[in-house]
Amino acid sequence: MADDYRRQGFELERRIFELDIKCSSLRAEKQDDDYLQNASAILDKLKSYYRQGGESSNLSKVLQDYTQVILDITFYEENKLVDQEFPEDCSPFKIQQLLQDLTEPEVLAGRLAPAQEVQSVLGLELLECLYWRRGALLYMYCHTLHQRKQWIKKNKDTFLKCIQEGVRYLMRMLQVRNSVKLNDGVVLHDTATANFLSEGIFSDTHLLTMMYIGEMCFWAVKYEDCSAETMDRKDDRLQFRDIGTQILNKYVLACEGPLQGQGWNTENAKEILSILQ
């Protein structure tokens, strides 16, 4: 078991040095990018840590730093895809690579610290961010594909698969803090805040996630009935109509209730709800 731990520790060290090479290559494209600069600074710290014979007691901090590097580098790569409007020839491969990169920290945390929950090793915010980034990437990709009507006619099942995967990631993001329950030991004098927490709404990003889920569910409902493959796999697919309706109702209640006047628009959400319901 000790040998397995050392082997996996070497795997993390190897990945850190591989990421350093990748980061240097990307910085050659855009030297002044803030995210790449931040990733490079963290990588320098991690390389120094290993050169000095890093101790396993700092594993959680190393994995958190490693995760931040992944988030920064992939953010730069995602922005390139968005700026290029997701080229049809290379986007599927690049998106799968990004999804794999954003999954790796969670996998490594499970391997290297099997006795601990992943959220305890990485922290709630980083784990949420990993799910958010994967879901948001697929949302942006599907948003672009949704405008390519001819492409969807030929690749409807691929489109629906991307939606389903994206919705799953975003729902997982909303569930990361669901274990934080309000109890008798928690005193909140603001009932609106208490309601937000009990519904899993902890930030603006959580609200945006709800809107993303609603839109993706709407796209799925629009196209899935015509898809032979998804009709043959009813047990595997998400109940998009029910999920979209539930999530958007929460979104509208929050935006028109405690958050009224805070800049959140509900027109699109209501329009989608009128169709889903």
Side-chain angles (χ1 to χ4, degrees), residues 128 174 177-178 195-203 206 210:
E128 275 184 342
L174 292 177
R177 302 199 195 205
N178 271 6
N195 289 334
F196 280 164
L197 295 178
S198 65
E199 292 291 346
I201 303 173
F202 294 88
S203 68
H206 288 79
M210 290 179 169

Side-chain angles (χ1 to χ4, degrees), residues 6 12 22 98 108 152 173 193 236 253 256:
R6 281 193 292 269
L12 176 57
K22 181 177 184 179
L98 286 168
L108 281 174
I152 290 183
M173 184 271 190
T193 300
D236 296 334
L253 283 173
E256 294 190 345

